[in-house]
């Protein structure tokens, strides 16, 4: 918050703080293992990025099943763009869609756009879901490039119970 020039702010300091608290609560509610928010110079929130890991004991999903579950989200509007992509850690499903959030009693619905990457975590039965969403649709092309670039840097480093990379697993940069 202190890095923003008060003269450049288009949002009040209080609304920015409330927004960050709301984003943090949402990340906690959805059990995100990583959450980030992108702000413009004036303090407007342009995008949110989070990573969640899902899994169920004894259940191993295929990419087809993961894709089906992604497309089953009721918030998706229109025809989403779905592609299979090859990331450095393996194959993934990439979903680019417009969504509508639910409002209270039908009021307050909001349109957003987002990109989700779902991939099967190597050596586990878990699914990693990384999602970037935004409402600033005028910046959609730039945010799409950012999401794609961010996902291209994903790596897999198995850790021991103490959080140290297992021998021979590569760089300790994390997943």
């Amino acid at each position: 918050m202190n890095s923003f020039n008060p003269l450049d702010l288009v949002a009040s300091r209080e609304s920015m703080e409330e927004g960050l608290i709301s984003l943090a609560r949402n990340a906690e509610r959805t059990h995100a293992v990583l959450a980030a928010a992108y702000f413009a110079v004036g303090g407007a929130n342009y995008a949110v990025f989070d990573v969640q890991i899902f899994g169920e004991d004894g259940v191993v999903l295929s990419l087809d099943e993961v894709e089906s579950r992604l497309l089953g989200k009721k918030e998706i509007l229109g025809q989403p763009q779905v592609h299979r992509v090859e990331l450095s850690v393996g194959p993934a499903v990439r979903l680019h869609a417009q969504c509508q959030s639910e409002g209270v009693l039908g009021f307050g619905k909001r349109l957003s756009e987002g990109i989700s990457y779902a991939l099967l975590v190597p050596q586990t039965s878990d699914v990693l879901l990384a999602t970037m969403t935004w409402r600033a649709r005028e910046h959609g092309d730039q945010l799409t490039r950012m999401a794609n670039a961010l996902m291209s840097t994903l790596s897999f480093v198995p850790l021991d119970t103490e959080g140290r990379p297992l021998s021979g697993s590569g760089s300790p940069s994390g997943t």
Side-chain angles (χ1 to χ4, degrees):
M1 295 291 298
N2 293 333
S3 64
F4 289 103
N5 181 342
L7 300 176
D8 290 337
L9 290 179
V10 295
S12 73
R13 185 176 191 86
E14 292 80 19
S15 71
M16 287 177 62
E17 287 174 355
E18 287 173 15
L20 283 171
I21 290 169
S22 175
L23 292 170
R25 284 185 179 145
N26 187 57
E28 182 179 32
R29 183 181 55 77
T30 62
H31 303 287
V33 296
L34 173 71
Y38 295 90
F39 288 86
V41 172
N45 180 340
Y46 274 174
V48 176
F49 178 78
D50 66 32
V51 176
Q52 299 166 312
I53 297 178
F54 300 97
E56 189 175 331
D57 289 339
V59 177
V60 178
L61 298 174
S62 68
L63 274 183
D64 289 334
E65 292 168 316
V66 171
E67 180 178 326
S68 176
R69 290 182 185 203
L70 279 175
L71 291 172
K73 292 174 57 177
K74 62 183 176 186
E75 301 89 10
I76 294 177
L77 297 176
Q79 268 311 55
Q81 299 172 19
V82 182
H83 302 284
R84 296 288 172 98
V85 296
E86 191 66 37
L87 299 174
S88 61
V89 294
V93 175
R94 180 185 178 277
L95 171 73
H96 187 169
Q98 293 184 16
C99 296
Q100 182 171 318
S101 65
E102 291 190 26
V104 177
L105 301 174
F107 297 104
K109 295 180 181 180
R110 293 188 174 183
L111 291 177
S112 64
E113 185 175 352
I115 293 181
S116 293
Y117 281 84
L119 61 116
L120 307 176
V121 179
Q123 303 174 14
T124 74
S125 60
D126 293 337
V127 175
L128 181 141
L129 178 64
T131 302
M132 182 181 283
T133 56
W134 59 88
R135 285 188 290 220
R137 296 183 59 208
E138 66 275 13
H139 300 285
D141 291 341
Q142 177 185 8
L143 292 165
T144 296
R145 286 191 300 275
M146 285 175 60
N148 294 336
L150 186 59
M151 290 307 297
S152 72
T153 67
L154 185 67
S155 63
F156 175 71
V157 179
L159 304 175
D160 65 16
T161 58
E162 301 295 318
R164 295 180 302 247
L166 294 174
S167 62
S169 64
S171 157
S173 61
T175 299

